[in-house]
Amino acid sequence: MLRCGTSACSLGPYTILGSCQVIYSQFGLAIHQNDHQARRRFVEWAQNEIAVVPDFHKRILFSDEAQFGLNGYVNKQNCRIWSEANPQVYVETPLHPEKLTVWCALWAGGIIGPYFFKNDEGHNVTVNGDRYRAMISNFFIPELNNHDVQELWFQQDGATCHTARATIDFLKDTFDDRLI
């Protein structure tokens, strides 16, 4: 939705509020004015890398994790059900349904993973900085050693467990300055 002053327009999942502030409506995340410049700098940097190394895009490991409900629970934030009639169906679900968190990395050379986050007793757990670093140390880096990873770049999102100082320092030991 686009809203400048008192008018409003739709731009797919985006909303612009007040003095034209963009909001990604699915998650309520503000897209700040500096984001455009940062994204543009990144694109220019990537284009320069591709000019020097034509297969640069094939050297990027894209990684992330996702959570899956194990008892049929579907996160309503990520699911929309459309119907002409309201069936008035009620489904009881636990307050805190059991979930499984799975991580993997993709690149032109293949897939590394999946990795399932579990504790020492084998129970499913969510990701935190210590668990993420343990996964990198005990699973990801040994898997990388099975591939020719010369000059690979590692990309991850801005989740707290990914950006903790200890995590970044640990990743720099493997990737040097090749972190995105």
Side-chain angles (χ1 to χ4, degrees), residues 39-67:
R39 289 184 177 127
R40 186 169 182 89
R41 281 192 307 274
F42 174 78
V43 168
E44 290 168 353
W45 169 81
Q47 287 175 329
N48 288 336
E49 293 293 324
I50 291 169
V52 174
V53 181
D55 67 344
F56 172 74
H57 63 285
K58 294 180 180 180
R59 298 180 182 195
I60 301 174
L61 278 157
F62 297 93
S63 70
D64 207 355
E65 56 273 327
Q67 270 191 353

Side-chain angles (χ1 to χ4, degrees), residues 4 11 17 24 29 40 56 62-63 67 73 75 85 115 117 119 123-124 130-131 151 169 172-173 178:
C4 292
L11 292 174
L17 297 173
Y24 187 68
L29 301 174
R40 186 169 182 89
F56 172 74
F62 297 93
S63 70
Q67 270 191 353
Y73 171 80
N75 182 345
Y115 178 86
F117 283 91
N119 64 14
H123 297 103
N124 300 325
D130 291 335
R131 292 175 184 141
E151 297 186 31
D169 291 344
K172 283 184 177 181
D173 288 343
R178 298 182 318 274

Side-chain angles (χ1 to χ4, degrees), residues 43-106:
V43 168
E44 290 168 353
W45 169 81
Q47 287 175 329
N48 288 336
E49 293 293 324
I50 291 169
V52 174
V53 181
D55 67 344
F56 172 74
H57 63 285
K58 294 180 180 180
R59 298 180 182 195
I60 301 174
L61 278 157
F62 297 93
S63 70
D64 207 355
E65 56 273 327
Q67 270 191 353
F68 299 91
L70 298 179
N71 65 348
Y73 171 80
V74 176
N75 182 345
K76 291 185 284 183
Q77 296 287 42
N78 299 325
C79 178
R80 302 292 184 254
I81 300 171
W82 297 90
S83 175
E84 292 183 13
N86 184 352
Q88 298 296 320
V89 174
Y90 296 93
V91 178
E92 290 187 27
T93 59
L95 181 59
H96 301 288
E98 188 177 7
K99 298 174 185 175
L100 173 66
T101 303
V102 183
W103 174 94
C104 79
L106 307 170

Side-chain angles (χ1 to χ4, degrees), residues 27 32 55 63 87 108 111 116 121 132 139 146 148 154 163 167:
F27 303 108
H32 301 288
D55 67 344
S63 70
I111 298 172
F116 301 94
E121 293 82 38
Y132 186 69
F139 175 76
N146 295 331
D148 179 18
F154 183 63
T163 59
T167 302

Side-chain angles (χ1 to χ4, degrees), residues 127-145:
V127 183
N128 63 24
D130 291 335
R131 292 175 184 141
Y132 186 69
R133 285 186 296 280
M135 179 276 300
I136 291 170
S137 175
N138 301 329
F139 175 76
F140 180 50
I141 291 176
E143 285 291 317
L144 278 178
N145 292 334

